[in-house]
Amino acid sequence: MSAAKAAAGGATPAATDQPRPAYLVKGNDPSLVAQATHALTERLVDGGDPSLMVEEFGGPNLDSVDVGAVIDACTTPPFLVERRVVVLRQAGQLTAADAKRLADYLKDPLASTVLVLVAGGGALPQSVARAVGTEGTVDTSVGTGKARAQWMTDQLQSGPVRLEGPAAAHLSEHLGEDVGRLEGLLDTLAAAYGPRASVSLDELEPFLGMAGALAPWDLTDAIDAGETAKALAALERMFVGGESHPLVVMAILHRHYRQMLRLDGAGVTTAEEAAGLLGLRSAFPAKKALAQSRRLGSARIAGAVGLLAQADLDMRGVTALPGETVLEVLVARLSRLSRQGRQ
């Protein structure tokens, strides 16, 4: 179960449950509210066609909500599908009069419609909250102190990977109040190391600065494919979107080619053997390292290590070029080596 689904708690209907007439998704972190809304809507659609089942209203860029259109959507029977799901975002924009109209509708709702109210845009009128009821309320609030620690534990236990103790503790400290980044980071770790993989602190750290922006393997995969333009675009995203320091990116590249260097000439033939040699718990990244090591060959791996060593010296003062520029040149040269290996 993802962090978003877990945040939705017991109010989220199982696929076999009869959904309630209305749900309210609220919380103090907009990212968690958005994730829980997506998870709830996905389960209500239950594999159906969202274009036929879901209709959305409201949003952060709108000054007001047309509650008449919302009620019209709620009272319109579904066509060719089992139910309609009406999502009203920024429900805090409702006026007292509009809130009363929605509350009146919920006294006798259409059985084939589910209304999903998403908090935001101001204080939600109490008449609507009472009409939805506590059983239909999805509260994504994390809390503080012990409550926050327990929430984090629950998300990690139900996540797609297993973080070792030091990694889990460091992640909790690193995120601080920005817990909305957790789901994306866990999904990125699963993509990098494989579902259900055990992730150590060393394996976690390269991803922390760019969670929600870009994963390290987006850069290294582009380099390995010899796609210079794509690799440079990934590098730029790591600088701007992920706010990664050039030395952090250099460490990622060092580790990537160090793995190939250890595999070169080691007589390893399978991904499992490669994982054992590299000290990786998952064969997923080891398989990619082994394949690229074979494509490059000893001479090009040695050439890549030489380029990394020179770039490292350049970043530490041998040249006056900014670290970002040094890395751009390095990435272009490494991509060219990969193209040569593929030819």
Side-chain angles (χ1 to χ4, degrees):
M1 183 184 296
S2 70
K5 291 179 180 178
T12 304
T16 56
D17 292 344
Q18 181 63 31
R20 296 178 58 81
Y23 293 90
L24 167 63
V25 185
K26 66 178 185 177
N28 48 24
D29 187 313
S31 296
L32 290 181
V33 171
Q35 292 167 23
T37 301
H38 176 78
L40 173 60
T41 304
E42 191 175 60
R43 298 192 71 178
L44 290 170
V45 170
D46 191 22
D49 186 348
S51 65
L52 295 177
M53 298 179 70
V54 180
E55 190 166 358
E56 297 202 16
F57 298 88
N61 297 322
L62 298 178
D63 295 329
S64 62
V65 173
D66 184 355
V67 75
V70 175
I71 293 176
D72 285 345
C74 289
T75 54
T76 301
F79 179 67
L80 300 177
V81 290
E82 178 184 358
R83 70 171 66 102
R84 288 171 60 83
V85 179
V86 179
V87 180
L88 173 57
R89 300 186 184 275
Q90 301 292 102
Q93 295 175 334
L94 290 170
T95 65
D98 286 343
K100 184 179 183 304
R101 293 177 64 187
L102 271 183
D104 288 342
Y105 158 74
L106 290 174
K107 292 177 182 177
D108 185 24
L110 194 66
S112 56
T113 296
V114 178
L115 173 63
V116 178
L117 299 163
V118 186
L124 186 73
Q126 286 301 308
S127 59
V128 174
R130 287 194 296 268
V132 174
T134 56
E135 292 184 1
T137 299
V138 179
D139 192 350
T140 66
S141 300
V142 174
T144 59
K146 291 183 178 180
R148 181 190 181 281
Q150 184 59 52
W151 182 91
M152 181 67 71
T153 298
D154 293 342
Q155 309 314 306
L156 294 179
Q157 287 180 347
S158 62
V161 295
R162 292 286 176 264
L163 266 64
E164 296 179 359
H170 184 67
L171 176 60
S172 179
E173 180 180 356
H174 179 83
L175 289 179
E177 298 302 315
D178 194 12
V179 291
R181 297 169 53 201
L182 179 61
E183 182 178 15
L185 177 56
L186 293 178
D187 288 343
T188 300
L189 290 171
Y193 298 116
R196 318 310 297 174
S198 179
V199 180
S200 69
L201 178 58
D202 287 343
E203 292 167 332
L204 167 69
E205 282 194 316
F207 293 82
L208 291 177
M210 57 211 74
L214 194 68
W217 52 267
D218 284 323
L219 172 63
T220 54
D221 281 358
I223 292 173
D224 290 347
E227 298 176 352
T228 304
K230 186 176 180 179
L232 289 173
L235 181 65
E236 177 67 16
R237 280 190 60 190
M238 292 174 75
F239 288 147
V240 178
E243 300 180 352
S244 297
H245 191 279
L247 290 177
V248 173
V249 180
M250 179 64 78
I252 292 169
L253 295 175
H254 267 290
R255 180 185 180 193
H256 186 61
Y257 284 91
R258 185 170 64 247
Q259 290 178 341
M260 295 183 211
L261 186 62
R262 293 187 63 187
L263 291 171
D264 183 44
V268 170
T269 59
T270 67
E272 289 72 20
E273 291 175 349
L277 178 64
L278 297 175
L280 301 176
R281 293 171 176 78
S282 170
F284 191 81
K287 180 179 179 180
K288 292 199 297 185
L290 180 60
Q292 183 65 5
S293 177
R294 289 171 174 169
R295 278 193 292 265
L296 286 179
S298 300
R300 293 190 180 89
I301 292 175
V305 171
L307 291 173
L308 286 164
Q310 184 59 54
D312 190 65
L313 291 173
D314 290 343
M315 289 181 63
R316 296 178 190 276
V318 172
T319 72
L321 292 174
E324 291 84 353
T325 303
V326 172
L327 278 170
E328 288 172 356
V329 174
L330 173 63
V331 165
R333 289 174 173 172
L334 292 174
S335 298
R336 184 174 61 194
L337 276 179
S338 296
R339 285 200 303 276
Q340 293 171 353
R342 288 177 176 272
Q343 291 170 358

